[in-house]
Amino acid sequence: MTDQFAQPYQRIVEDVRDQIRLGRLRPDDKLPSTRELANHYKLAPGTVQRALGELRSAGLIYSHQGKGSFVRQAPPSEPSASPEVIKLQTQISALTARLERVEQALFGT
């Protein structure tokens, strides 16, 4: 489930995270192309690229030039997050999005 107040790229990140968490996307599954994701979310390809960059930085996906982006295998030592941690991460994401909107409205950044 995505936050309606999140930045567009954050909604993609949250959606892909949810799909991975729910098992709809499994390790080594290929994500749709940037163009397909842009069409699906009705966003610019640059916004999709930003989301893919965030997912790569978070270690959730990896990309091969010319082949696409794929779901990464979770490291075996990675502990699963507790519901409290997940709730805090969601709240931080929502607060970050709100702060970005306020800064954009005030400073036009």
Side-chain angles (χ1 to χ4, degrees):
M1 175 185 279
T2 58
D3 180 355
Q4 66 181 0
F5 299 110
Q7 294 291 323
Y9 79 93
Q10 290 172 322
R11 289 195 309 259
I12 297 170
V13 171
E14 290 175 21
D15 191 34
V16 171
R17 281 181 196 251
D18 287 346
Q19 290 182 48
I20 292 170
R21 185 177 49 79
L22 295 171
R24 292 183 187 140
L25 286 173
R26 299 176 170 270
D28 296 320
D29 278 356
K30 186 177 187 294
L31 296 178
S33 71
T34 299
R35 185 178 308 195
E36 290 169 329
L37 288 170
N39 287 336
H40 175 76
Y41 289 100
K42 296 179 176 54
L43 297 170
T47 303
V48 173
Q49 286 294 334
R50 184 171 180 189
L52 294 175
E54 293 283 325
L55 291 164
R56 276 191 297 276
S57 295
L60 295 173
I61 67 169
Y62 62 97
S63 299
H64 287 291
Q65 183 144 0
K67 294 186 179 182
S69 297
F70 302 84
V71 177
R72 183 178 293 284
Q73 296 270 353
S77 62
E78 184 177 298
S80 54
S82 68
E84 293 84 9
V85 170
I86 293 170
K87 183 177 179 181
L88 286 172
Q89 289 172 331
T90 302
Q91 290 173 337
I92 289 170
S93 178
L95 288 170
T96 300
R98 288 178 184 171
L99 178 59
E100 288 175 355
R101 283 194 311 279
V102 168
E103 288 175 343
Q104 187 174 23
L106 291 175
F107 307 112
T109 58

